[in-house]
Amino acid sequence: MVCPSCATEQLSPEARFCTKCGGPLPSAGPRKFLGVVRFLALPLILVSRPLAYPIRLRQERIRWLTETNGPNSPVDDVQGLSDEAKRVYAYLATVTLRSTALLTPRPHSFAKVAVLSQYKARNAIRELERRGLLSHRRRNTWHGRGAHGYHVKRITDR
């Protein structure tokens, strides 16, 4: 390779600057190849990042729901929360972990699992809603009995 400024022959073909005058040497072929690779990879990067975001959110949700069902559950640290509300929260977190859809169990079904009366289960849901740990939406269905949609929210450090 020859320096375009001083016409000195360079010893190393990979040199980026002239050894005599210090001027920049013309770039080699592999550097151009890297630029082309980056240019071609750019659309893949732009598409893959937004697609990876929901996957990361789902993984984070699975992690904290698994933590909620463990022996050192953060729901046990919430001050003033009744035992019934803790059991209902743990049950709904378990169902959320197993299902990807909106939860729709009826109060009598999780009252059986949490070993509560329906009255106490409904009161526990109201308590969790007041604390902001659960959101509840009742939907009308074609058979008229209605369906319940629950969204379990993460327990944050207060």
Side-chain angles (χ1 to χ4, degrees):
M1 182 179 300
V2 178
C3 175
S5 302
C6 64
T8 304
E9 183 72 29
Q10 301 300 316
L11 300 174
S12 172
E14 297 158 358
R16 293 175 41 200
F17 299 98
C18 178
T19 56
K20 184 175 181 182
C21 69
L25 297 173
S27 62
R31 296 194 70 76
K32 288 182 182 177
F33 177 72
L34 288 176
V36 171
V37 169
R38 285 185 187 143
F39 178 74
L40 293 175
L42 184 63
L44 294 174
I45 292 169
L46 294 176
V47 169
S48 65
R49 284 186 180 161
L51 292 176
Y53 183 71
I55 294 170
R56 279 197 315 263
L57 283 180
R58 177 75 180 149
Q59 289 172 342
E60 174 66 18
R61 186 165 174 80
I62 288 171
R63 187 193 62 74
W64 73 259
L65 286 170
T66 305
E67 180 181 294
T68 299
N69 294 320
N72 298 326
S73 176
V75 76
D76 294 332
D77 299 334
V78 177
Q79 297 296 323
L81 195 63
S82 67
D83 290 335
E84 293 87 9
K86 291 177 184 179
R87 283 191 277 176
V88 168
Y89 184 85
Y91 169 71
L92 291 174
T94 304
V95 175
T96 301
L97 185 60
R98 285 183 279 154
S99 171
T100 57
L102 182 68
L103 293 175
T104 57
R106 302 205 49 201
H108 66 84
S109 63
F110 59 78
K112 287 180 187 176
V113 174
V115 191
L116 300 170
S117 66
Q118 288 185 31
Y119 176 78
K120 286 188 175 185
R122 285 189 188 107
N123 284 344
I125 289 173
R126 282 189 214 109
E127 183 180 351
L128 289 169
E129 285 178 332
R130 279 194 308 269
R131 293 292 189 100
L133 300 175
L134 181 73
S135 64
H136 169 245
R137 184 179 59 156
R138 182 159 186 200
R139 298 178 293 141
N140 291 327
T141 57
W142 64 271
H143 52 69
R145 291 192 322 232
H148 299 268
Y150 300 101
H151 179 73
V152 179
K153 296 181 182 176
R154 186 175 187 169
I155 297 174
T156 58
D157 298 329
R158 295 177 188 196

